[in-house]
Amino acid sequence: MNFSFTLQATDGAARAGTLTTAHGEVPTPTFMAVGTAGTVKAMTAEAVRATGAKIVLGNTYHLMLRPTAERVARLGGLHKMMDWPGPILTDSGGFQIMSLAKLRKMDETGVIFRSHLDGSAHHLSPERSMEIQHLLDATITMVLDECTPFPATHEEAAKSMRLSTRWAQRSRRAFVPREGYGQFGIVQGSVYEDLRKESAGALREQNFEGYAIGGLAVGEGQEMMFAMLDITTKLLPADKPRYLMGVGTPDDLLGSIARSVDMFDCVMPTRAGRTARAFTSHGVFNLRNARFIDDAAPLDENCNCLACARHTRAYLHHLIRCEEVLGPILLTTHNLTYYQSLMQGARAAILAGGYTEYCAATRAGWET
Ligand SMILES: [Zn+2]
């Protein structure tokens, strides 16, 4: 089976498609729950499946340090280890080295860093990142890149983007093609149109199975992010999936789908679930708030997840007040279910030609 992407419908610039992989099909637009260290935090794989998720993300940085990629491979790969036979996308490790590791140093060869866990020294090159993701058995492998910090001058952004381009070429050469597996390039260039064009053009020459848009949602604001998406998605081949990395809020997702993005990942729904916040069809709730103490209503009457179908807001509030571990479990279950239902609703609306109306109705709901 080939790794492929087929478009079923477009509505304006919004797209509904299907990603076909060695580990199953993924209807798009799709949201990937973040399974940092071989688990979506607070969730069994079965519970993640019950939210409607079809694909999850694994973090190379965490897994290369613990339990190590070689050990994951000996245990049969990440799919087997975490009981997720479906598609898995792994990041390259670069972004988290820059945000988590100590004493990092970057040069043409790659990134040298010390583990935030035990201070041990490591070197991550494009070739080693590809090897690690291969050992993990990633369905989708990401090239090693540098996520250009924001703000960056044009000169800084150009230098960073060109290093990422050279790493993408090395990553492509090091990638071992397998039936139904793919590799995505990552467009960089900060907020500069000419650099985004140069980056996308160079990546297209490598003929990746998909293209990610990186270096956004790093502080530039939603308006600038949308402006960059308007520019960047037009530069990418229509018959390949587009993945916006690390985004975002429900409103970011709706606006990005309208700009031709097919795939997303973000820690927001899982992290919020562990800090008492719930994304609902009526907006964001903080369940720690005392106003929920006697509230016998379900968290979201439009949701059929375990938290909403079987429990009250008052009970969720109680669990959080008592710091019971079930509180974060139920809120994570709900938030991931909400994100999946948002994607399913978007896909159905695009197929029916009513995406604009869907966005308007969803946004109106958040205000009530
Ligand atoms: Zn729910």
Side-chain angles (χ1 to χ4, degrees):
M1 170 201 312
N2 286 327
F3 187 98
S4 67
F5 179 72
T6 50
L7 271 180
Q8 268 87 52
T10 55
D11 183 4
R15 302 157 26 119
T18 303
L19 193 61
T20 303
T21 79
H23 301 109
E25 292 195 343
V26 182
T28 64
T30 190
F31 180 82
M32 298 181 277
V34 178
T36 305
T39 165
V40 176
K41 287 187 194 297
M43 301 284 283
T44 62
E46 198 57 46
V48 175
R49 277 188 281 278
T51 69
K54 301 291 184 208
I55 175 169
V56 298
L57 181 145
N59 285 129
T60 285
Y61 173 77
H62 289 282
L63 294 166
M64 72 182 279
L65 297 178
R66 258 187 340 204
T68 76
E70 281 72 13
R71 186 164 286 118
V72 172
R74 286 198 297 274
L75 292 168
L78 193 53
H79 301 268
K80 187 161 179 248
M81 190 178 90
M82 66 184 281
D83 181 29
W84 185 268
I88 299 176
L89 179 147
T90 50
D91 63 8
S92 69
F95 180 79
Q96 290 194 312
I97 288 172
M98 297 320 281
S99 56
L100 294 173
K102 294 172 182 159
L103 295 172
R104 53 202 187 257
K105 184 171 154 280
M106 197 166 52
D107 61 21
E108 190 67 33
T109 66
V111 196
I112 298 151
F113 66 95
R114 287 192 180 276
S115 160
H116 72 291
L117 299 170
D118 60 7
S120 57
H122 299 266
H123 179 241
L124 190 70
S125 62
E127 291 77 16
R128 177 59 180 155
S129 175
M130 297 313 107
E131 184 183 24
I132 290 170
Q133 294 180 73
H134 184 88
L135 287 165
L136 296 174
D137 197 26
T139 316
I140 299 174
T141 292
M142 299 303 297
V143 300
L144 184 66
D145 71 333
E146 185 196 14
C147 180
T148 309
F150 181 85
T153 64
H154 188 276
E155 191 188 346
E156 289 163 348
K159 190 166 171 254
S160 167
M161 178 274 287
R162 287 172 192 143
L163 176 68
S164 288
T165 301
R166 294 190 295 278
W167 284 0
Q169 290 158 352
R170 284 167 56 188
S171 296
R172 192 58 166 162
R173 284 195 294 275
F175 177 67
V176 180
R178 285 182 285 176
E179 284 272 294
Y181 287 69
Q183 183 188 36
F184 285 14
I186 306 173
V187 181
Q188 291 288 349
S190 187
V191 294
Y192 304 104
E193 183 171 357
D194 62 321
L195 300 184
R196 290 274 167 191
K197 274 188 181 153
E198 183 183 324
S199 175
L203 293 174
R204 285 186 69 155
E205 286 176 17
Q206 302 292 318
N207 196 25
F208 287 102
E209 282 73 35
Y211 294 85
I213 302 157
L216 292 178
V218 288
E220 76 283 1
Q222 193 194 58
E223 195 182 339
M224 178 61 89
M225 178 174 84
F226 284 169
M228 284 300 116
L229 287 181
D230 283 330
I231 291 163
T232 308
T233 52
K234 287 187 184 69
L235 304 168
L236 299 173
D239 61 348
K240 301 285 176 73
R242 292 97 182 250
Y243 159 34
L244 178 58
M245 304 178 81
V247 173
T249 63
D251 189 57
D252 289 335
L253 300 191
L254 292 185
S256 301
I257 291 167
R259 291 167 173 82
S260 292
V261 176
D262 309 301
M263 301 169 68
F264 302 90
D265 83 284
C266 192
V267 294
M268 205 169 276
T270 38
R271 183 171 290 166
R274 300 194 304 281
T275 53
R277 286 173 299 141
F279 294 96
T280 78
S281 57
H282 301 297
V284 182
F285 293 160
N286 185 339
L287 270 300
R288 196 176 293 281
N289 196 309
R291 75 183 165 108
F292 296 111
I293 196 163
D294 288 312
D295 192 338
L299 175 57
D300 185 341
E301 79 278 11
N302 298 312
C303 178
N304 59 8
C305 83
L306 192 63
C308 295
R310 306 282 282 273
H311 300 294
T312 61
R313 293 171 179 176
Y315 180 58
L316 295 169
H317 171 75
H318 161 77
L319 292 174
I320 287 152
R321 286 283 299 268
C322 298
E323 295 184 2
E324 284 292 339
V325 71
L326 185 58
I329 291 172
L330 288 174
L331 287 184
T332 303
T333 302
H334 168 76
N335 284 342
L336 286 178
T337 305
Y338 182 72
Y339 267 62
Q340 294 303 335
S341 68
L342 196 66
M343 294 296 105
Q344 288 156 6
R347 179 179 163 81
I350 294 164
L351 290 170
Y355 186 63
T356 306
E357 295 75 12
Y358 172 74
C359 290
T362 304
R363 288 186 172 119
W366 293 334
E367 305 302 323
T368 58

